[in-house]
Amino acid sequence: MSGAFVPVATLDQLAPGEAIDVVAGGIEIALVRDEDGGVHAIEDRCSHEDVPLSDGDVEGCTLECWKHGSQFDLRTGRPLQLPAVLPVPVYPVRVDESTGEISVDPTATLTA
């Protein structure tokens, strides 16, 4: 699957400010639409306590873990607020017409 983008959801399943859980290449991923409509893919696991981030709150370009309030930058996966100190992986995502596609190869490019 190296570099391949696979469809995971349609945008009508993902309103701005929402996150849903999807699976791509056997990896659980939070597919997130920020409040401005941008689509992001971040591993669906808080690096602090291994709970699903897709159950958290989206604010701007951050995703907040519902359990202890750690916040992660959707573009980089870096934690912005304790207690998390380790980043979570982010994955390339693109929108093809109305479908969100993810590559689990972090070296994939977004050129079509």
Side-chain angles (χ1 to χ4, degrees):
M1 172 179 292
S2 179
F5 283 84
V6 294
V8 292
T10 60
L11 291 188
D12 61 357
Q13 295 173 285
L14 189 63
E18 279 192 352
I20 60 172
D21 59 319
V22 299
V23 177
I27 299 171
E28 292 184 33
I29 295 173
L31 187 65
V32 183
R33 197 164 182 190
D34 66 34
E35 293 170 337
D36 293 327
V39 181
H40 308 272
I42 187 168
E43 192 164 308
D44 195 14
R45 157 190 77 73
C46 179
S47 61
H48 168 249
E49 198 165 301
D50 199 27
V51 296
L53 288 173
S54 59
D55 292 335
D57 293 321
V58 178
E59 185 173 318
C61 208
T62 65
L63 182 57
E64 182 177 325
C65 179
W66 59 272
K67 191 157 187 181
H68 293 118
S70 294
Q71 292 179 352
F72 297 90
D73 186 307
L74 292 169
R75 297 162 294 204
T76 65
R78 292 178 190 241
L80 302 173
Q81 183 168 313
L82 296 173
V85 295
L86 298 173
V88 294
V90 295
Y91 300 96
V93 63
R94 69 180 182 194
V95 176
D96 182 21
E97 296 183 22
S98 65
T99 302
E101 298 180 335
I102 296 173
S103 174
V104 293
D105 177 357
T107 64
T109 61
L110 296 177
T111 56

